[in-house]
Amino acid sequence: MNHLKLAVLFLAMTMCLALAAGDQGTAAGDANPFFSPYKTPLNTPPFDLIKNEHFLPAIKEGIRQQQVEIEAIVNNPAAPDFANTLGALDASGRLLSEVNAVFGALQGADTSPAIQSIAKETTPLIAAHGDNIRLNEKLFARVKSVYDQRAKLKLTSEEQFLLQNTYRDFVRGGALLDEKQKVRLRELNQQLAMLSLRFGDNLLAETNDFKLALENRDDLAGLPPSVAAMAEGTAGQLKMPGQWVFTVQVPSMTPFLQYSTRRDLREKIYRAYTMRGDRGNDRDNKDIVRGIVNLRCEKAKLLGYDSHAAFVLETNMAKVPAAVDAFLKRLWDPALERAKRETADMQVIIDREGGKFKLAPWDWWHYAEKVRQEKYALDDTALRPYFKLENVRQGIFSLCEKLYGLKFSERRDIPVYNPEVQVFEVHEADGRYVGVLYMDFHPRPSKRGGAWSGSFRRESYEKGRRVAPLSTITCNFTRSTADAPSLLSVEEAKTFAHEFGHSLATLLSDGIYRSRSVPRDAVELPSQIMENWMLEPELLTSYAKHYQTGAVIPAELVQKLQNSSLFNQGFETVEYLAASILDMKWHELTQPQPGLGVDEFETRAMTGLGLIPEIVPRYRSTYFNHIFSGGYSAGYYVYIWAEQLDADAFEAFKEKGLFDKATALSFRKNVLEKYGALELMPQYVAFRGAEPKIEPLLKRRGLMK
Ligand SMILES: [Zn+2]
């Protein structure tokens, strides 16, 4: 999950003068802790003093201060240069970022009705403030002036990177368009926002519309009691007593597909799932899909790009659509072959059981589960005792010490927003102070789901001195009980390492400027690479010890864990790639096509690929929320692209030794320290000696011949 802001170029922004004078006085009388230097250890946020009523005035004051700072940049009588324009813009808005970071963290990890209502007030203020900076023509004129002289300015590579990204963000927002074009761009943005909203609303209504309501126990054939109980609970919530209800929400549908022996019912629910938004009713999404792709195409052309995909990919590591297409195609052929073998394995089971039918898409989960039990059986309850939270934490700490020499020491005197939060001060091997890490492990009603890494303060330099980062990890891990400490599942242990990797990139970061720009397809490199170590026997045996006996995890369990990573990989890769390729096809249109048939387009794309009838793309167009309602258009591929990066980077450690200091130092210096502060590909090449190769990923997914 993410975590890092993607392109944090404009930390805050502009000239909403209406806000200025009046509001800042409100909290001036009582001591708002954001308005004076903190008297806390390591200059950490004074959570013991911060009260909800401090946020709104502090955010308003932060906006006002940045407005003044931007005005000063714009009205500077001196000719624009790097320091008085780019440097000054980067340095502006410190108070706003600080308050926002603290407030944002609480919104996720420790919210309340009060926090939610403050957010309703501050969100539009901050959005308008950001727009005002992006649309400030005088500011852009100064940035452009510096950009136009860049060849003779003798800038450092970090300065060049900041200049290029800042300029590019203005241009991508339409800064170079004439007035008429700007008007059209605003119309397109508005229409797109409306269509995306409608797409999402329709999908929600379609998803909620279908219910598989079962009234007879016979209909529950094959379901474990826990799955039946869940369906009974759903029926209760829906006021349908005496029934068992399954929905087309994935957590409800998947166990049904996995365990139900009622093939007719599996077909019924699966068809309902795959036909969402494609039923010709008033919530049909086909016209909206066509509208969105055509408007995106027009917008890209207006801004000077061949296609929407070309526009999106410009800021990614892949750079151009052809690079993504070639990458996906390299994976596609071996993945399809593996999926065909998986189909054959499952058909053997069907035939052996005397089922006289050919495997269909709604059968896949059911027979894959049988394969899993036969070939890869892993018992979660046998594994958990080896993954006590404190042991896993110690395993990660010692990994960081082995790789980077880092030391973690607990601080109980640093104020926290909730008593459950643990705080660690991080030091280099030679004792130099690195930063602070806050960890908040368990679910609370005030915390949103999932796991993420964030920060209260990002690293930068202020007047030549390093500002130390304050990083956070927030999770929802299994709690301890009266009988046992917190015992993690293997997935949870990997999630912990994943988020820790994001935090390491924050803590070890060593960029001069506060603005960072991480390509979306590389955001998951520092996090995913950390997951690799967790199940390597060399590390595993050092931390995975039984919480009662202290015995090291048995070799047989380790072997099973490693085997299980190959289970169902053909299917998972194919259904994911099919959706990624569909996404690219939609967004590589180079001309709007008003008469386009959505189903026909999709069918043609999938037939062209040779997709087998037993598999449906993970998302069909009419319910592909990521690309038509979320922010992942021409970007669904990023997950597997990042996996290529982490697999290739980890290969360096496999070649030189899992804890090889020189390899770790190179990864740290080239990748982690300059992450988002310099162009990533050259940094990656400096670490690896070459651009990332696909083979380690193929090997990991069992796709090598
Ligand atoms: Zn992540």
Side-chain angles (χ1 to χ4, degrees):
M1 308 227 74
N2 194 346
H3 349 340
L4 262 178
K5 293 254 170 72
L6 294 175
V8 201
L9 276 173
F10 296 99
L11 282 147
M13 330 231 163
T14 32
M15 32 172 42
C16 194
L17 292 172
L19 277 172
D23 296 321
Q24 105 213 63
T26 45
D30 85 76
N32 189 320
F34 288 112
F35 294 159
S36 45
Y38 305 154
K39 295 184 186 72
T40 49
L42 303 172
N43 198 25
T44 49
F47 286 108
D48 49 341
L49 301 177
I50 297 172
K51 299 200 182 84
N52 285 340
E53 60 262 34
H54 296 134
F55 286 116
L56 187 59
I59 284 172
K60 287 182 175 174
E61 172 61 13
I63 290 175
R64 193 199 63 81
Q65 285 185 8
Q66 194 173 27
Q67 288 166 350
V68 171
E69 289 161 337
I70 300 274
E71 277 298 276
I73 297 171
V74 167
N75 297 322
N76 189 340
D81 62 23
F82 184 88
N84 74 19
T85 303
L86 280 301
L89 179 58
D90 180 77
S92 72
R94 273 194 190 269
L95 175 64
L96 183 58
S97 331
E98 178 97 12
V99 182
N100 234 343
V102 172
F103 184 66
L106 295 190
Q107 264 181 291
D110 211 26
T111 192
S112 63
I115 296 264
Q116 285 163 342
S117 88
I118 296 166
K120 282 205 188 80
E121 237 178 303
T122 58
T123 305
L125 294 180
I126 292 166
H129 179 57
D131 279 347
N132 287 338
I133 294 187
R134 269 183 292 273
L135 301 173
N136 185 324
E137 293 183 6
K138 285 191 197 160
L139 181 62
F140 175 64
R142 287 187 73 98
V143 170
K144 183 169 187 303
S145 159
V146 181
Y147 183 80
D148 291 342
Q149 316 163 46
R150 67 194 180 283
K152 44 181 197 277
L153 290 179
K154 299 205 173 65
L155 299 176
T156 66
S157 41
E158 275 187 61
E159 288 167 347
Q160 286 172 29
F161 190 67
L162 177 63
L163 172 59
Q164 169 202 316
N165 286 318
T166 309
Y167 176 76
R168 193 179 63 187
D169 276 16
F170 274 108
V171 172
R172 289 169 63 83
L176 289 178
L177 300 182
D178 65 30
E179 276 318 306
K180 204 174 138 216
Q181 290 170 319
K182 280 183 183 167
V183 170
R184 182 63 187 147
L185 182 64
R186 264 190 288 274
E187 283 169 10
L188 290 171
N189 284 339
Q190 274 178 7
Q191 289 174 21
L192 278 166
M194 289 312 296
L195 286 179
S196 290
L197 212 58
R198 277 180 53 206
F199 183 97
D201 289 348
N202 283 344
L203 176 54
L204 185 65
E206 282 281 277
T207 303
N208 290 333
D209 186 57
F210 177 85
K211 281 164 197 70
L212 181 66
L214 307 176
E215 297 180 3
N216 302 315
R217 286 205 171 265
D218 293 351
D219 297 335
L220 306 180
L223 302 181
S226 61
V227 174
M230 179 184 76
E232 202 174 355
T234 308
Q237 284 160 15
L238 295 168
K239 311 240 177 312
M240 297 165 73
Q243 303 187 45
W244 294 268
V245 172
F246 290 90
T247 70
V248 288
Q249 305 273 10
V250 170
S252 176
M253 178 182 71
T254 305
F256 188 83
L257 291 174
Q258 243 168 347
Y259 296 110
S260 173
T261 50
R262 284 287 301 274
R263 192 166 186 248
D264 57 329
L265 297 177
R266 292 202 305 263
E267 177 174 356
K268 194 172 172 190
I269 195 168
Y270 191 69
R271 280 192 190 278
Y273 176 77
T274 56
M275 287 305 288
R276 287 175 298 156
D278 190 15
R279 299 193 295 160
N281 57 16
D282 58 351
R283 298 184 300 246
D284 193 288
N285 270 337
K286 290 196 285 291
D287 288 348
I288 295 177
V289 167
R290 181 174 41 248
I292 290 175
V293 294
N294 284 336
L295 292 172
R296 281 178 179 163
C297 183
E298 184 187 342
K299 177 178 165 180
K301 307 224 72 134
L302 186 66
L303 291 167
Y305 299 83
D306 282 347
S307 65
H308 178 70
F311 170 70
V312 170
L313 291 167
E314 181 189 36
T315 60
N316 284 8
M317 203 171 175
K319 290 273 183 270
V320 291
V324 176
D325 294 341
F327 168 68
L328 296 175
K329 182 68 183 149
R330 272 295 309 276
L331 290 160
W332 176 260
D333 294 328
L336 187 63
E337 205 167 299
R338 189 177 168 103
K340 285 177 181 168
R341 288 203 303 275
E342 290 168 359
T343 312
D345 283 352
M346 291 189 277
Q347 193 64 49
V348 168
I349 300 180
I350 294 173
D351 297 346
R352 192 177 68 203
E353 291 178 347
K356 298 203 179 328
F357 58 86
K358 188 172 169 299
L359 184 86
W362 45 88
D363 299 319
W364 195 291
W365 284 262
H366 187 69
Y367 291 94
E369 176 59 22
K370 295 193 174 196
V371 172
R372 191 184 73 82
Q373 287 180 8
E374 279 182 19
K375 279 201 187 172
Y376 302 99
L378 253 186
D379 182 2
D380 184 55
T381 51
L383 283 166
R384 280 188 191 256
Y386 295 98
F387 292 92
K388 186 169 96 165
L389 174 64
E390 289 75 13
N391 289 350
V392 176
R393 190 186 68 194
Q394 196 47 48
I396 297 175
F397 283 170
S398 69
L399 172 63
C400 294
E401 181 162 6
K402 283 180 174 137
L403 293 174
Y404 307 116
L406 299 176
K407 300 209 184 311
F408 297 82
S409 45
E410 186 157 16
R411 293 282 302 246
R412 292 176 190 274
D413 56 337
I414 288 179
V416 290
Y417 57 86
N418 185 291
E420 291 194 324
V421 177
Q422 304 177 1
V423 187
F424 286 82
E425 185 179 348
V426 188
H427 289 273
E428 303 282 6
D430 64 9
R432 268 177 308 140
Y433 167 54
V434 174
V436 175
L437 178 60
Y438 296 73
M439 293 189 281
D440 182 358
F441 289 118
H442 301 294
R444 287 188 297 272
S446 62
K447 196 191 273 189
R448 73 174 160 87
W452 64 94
S453 159
S455 58
F456 292 134
R457 190 178 299 138
R458 300 177 65 82
E459 175 276 338
S460 67
Y461 280 78
E462 202 175 349
K463 300 193 181 93
R465 286 189 52 206
R466 180 173 183 270
V467 176
L470 310 176
S471 185
T472 63
I473 292 177
T474 318
C475 311
N476 281 279
F477 292 154
T478 310
R479 273 188 185 278
S480 56
T481 63
D483 307 323
S486 166
L487 301 175
L488 304 188
S489 70
V490 172
E491 274 315 305
E492 287 176 325
K494 282 164 76 176
T495 299
F496 189 0
H498 178 108
E499 302 311 335
F500 209 97
H502 284 301
S503 279
L504 267 186
T506 303
L507 289 164
L508 297 179
S509 156
D510 192 32
I512 302 295
Y513 299 99
R514 295 160 68 217
S515 310
R516 299 293 157 90
S517 178
V518 177
R520 162 164 275 174
D521 49 4
V523 168
E524 300 298 336
L525 168 60
S527 49
Q528 286 178 187
I529 192 171
M530 286 289 284
E531 294 181 42
N532 289 285
W533 275 281
M534 296 311 282
L535 299 187
E536 285 288 338
E538 263 182 277
L539 186 70
L540 203 50
T541 49
S542 80
Y543 77 88
K545 296 183 178 159
H546 197 284
Y547 78 98
Q548 285 165 317
T549 65
V552 174
I553 187 168
E556 169 229 4
L557 270 183
V558 175
Q559 189 59 50
K560 275 189 170 177
L561 258 175
Q562 295 195 316
N563 292 347
S564 69
S565 69
L566 290 180
F567 164 67
N568 212 27
Q569 279 297 315
F571 173 83
E572 284 180 18
T573 312
V574 162
E575 68 149 13
Y576 167 80
L577 290 176
S580 304
I581 292 168
L582 182 59
D583 167 33
M584 289 303 292
K585 294 248 184 248
W586 277 124
H587 294 113
E588 282 178 273
L589 291 179
T590 53
Q591 285 301 332
Q593 299 189 17
L596 199 62
V598 169
D599 281 343
E600 294 74 9
F601 184 91
E602 181 179 305
T603 306
R604 220 169 28 244
M606 293 302 110
T607 315
L609 276 174
L611 179 63
I612 52 178
E614 292 85 351
I615 299 180
V616 175
R618 184 176 298 174
Y619 298 98
R620 293 191 52 231
S621 306
T622 54
Y623 55 92
F624 205 158
N625 218 19
H626 291 77
I627 67 167
F628 293 122
S629 192
Y632 275 82
S633 57
Y636 195 59
Y637 79 97
V638 301
Y639 302 98
I640 203 156
W641 181 279
E643 216 182 304
Q644 167 183 243
L645 295 179
D646 90 70
D648 183 71
F650 191 64
E651 199 68 13
F653 289 94
K654 284 196 186 157
E655 289 160 8
K656 299 279 169 51
L658 284 189
F659 308 114
D660 182 64
K661 284 256 194 286
T663 309
L665 184 67
S666 172
F667 186 69
R668 172 178 174 165
K669 288 281 163 211
N670 291 302
V671 178
L672 296 178
E673 290 188 1
K674 298 300 176 190
Y675 196 61
L678 283 177
E679 179 85 36
L680 184 58
M681 188 63 98
Q683 294 300 114
Y684 188 88
V685 172
F687 156 65
R688 194 67 177 103
E691 293 198 357
K693 295 190 177 61
I694 203 169
E695 285 75 14
L697 169 60
L698 292 173
K699 202 157 57 178
R700 178 198 286 180
R701 287 197 172 226
L703 303 176
M704 286 287 259
K705 287 260 169 66

